[in-house]
Amino acid sequence: MVSKFDNLSVDYGEAHKRSRSVVTRQTKRISILMKNHGIAVHEGVGRFTSARDVVIEPSGETLKAKHIILATGARPRPLPGIAFDGERVINYRAALDLKQVPSSAVIVGAGPIGMEFATLWSRYGSKVTVVEMMPHVLPNEDEDVSVEAERQFRR
């Protein structure tokens, strides 16, 4: 894509490569920081066996704690009857791996992740349409913020 300025061009593929490099570096740094501060990470699926006990599967290890924080992260959810096919219907994780901006895209869901992709791809020249069932974009935010954000996104 060539920008409004004749002497400036942008390369999404290079930006993508750089972003993946930054993520890899930051992930390693966070891992080192956690290790240095005595924070243990347990990979697997946790299951509560009491208010203070969590069993980690598949290892079967039991963790005991007075306070437990559930940090579940985000998980892509397909629309009923529309499966992710990895080509025409993708989730945000697959979108992160795209090395080219789609020429056009319909983004279902105007939450933070959907609006981030809408903004990024639009700036790289994609024709983007966002579909949201709630009255405004960023529907979980304060309504004044949501309304103003929507106004800015439309511009």
Side-chain angles (χ1 to χ4, degrees):
M1 173 199 146
V2 177
S3 72
K4 295 177 187 176
F5 304 99
D6 292 335
N7 63 345
L8 178 67
S9 65
V10 292
D11 184 332
Y12 186 81
E14 283 299 313
H16 175 270
K17 191 164 75 174
R18 167 101 168 108
S19 77
R20 299 299 86 205
S21 169
V22 169
V23 167
T24 299
R25 260 194 335 272
Q26 293 291 46
T27 301
K28 287 178 183 174
R29 286 180 183 158
I30 289 170
S31 179
I32 290 167
L33 280 172
M34 289 175 31
K35 183 179 177 184
N36 290 345
H37 286 88
I39 300 169
V41 176
H42 300 268
E43 302 266 340
V45 175
R47 181 176 44 85
F48 281 95
T49 55
S50 74
R52 295 183 178 204
D53 296 328
V54 176
V55 174
I56 306 297
E57 300 298 342
S59 71
E61 178 181 10
T62 298
L63 305 174
K64 296 180 180 292
K66 182 176 178 183
H67 303 286
I68 299 170
I69 298 172
L70 298 177
T72 59
R75 183 179 329 173
R77 292 177 301 196
L79 294 172
I82 304 174
F84 298 124
D85 66 10
E87 289 183 32
R88 294 182 53 86
V89 181
I90 62 174
N91 60 44
Y92 75 93
R93 291 183 189 268
L96 284 171
D97 290 333
L98 293 178
K99 293 179 178 47
Q100 292 182 327
V101 176
S103 59
S104 63
V106 173
I107 297 175
V108 179
I113 294 172
M115 295 312 294
E116 187 171 5
F117 279 107
T119 301
L120 176 68
W121 289 347
S122 175
R123 295 205 177 198
Y124 274 92
S126 181
K127 181 180 182 326
V128 177
T129 300
V130 176
V131 178
E132 173 59 51
M133 68 181 217
M134 300 301 284
H136 301 289
V137 302
L138 304 173
N140 292 331
E141 303 304 322
D142 176 84
E143 186 172 0
D144 291 341
V145 171
S146 179
V147 168
E148 178 59 24
E150 183 172 322
R151 189 174 77 72
Q152 295 297 321
F153 285 127
R154 285 185 189 278
R155 288 184 13 181

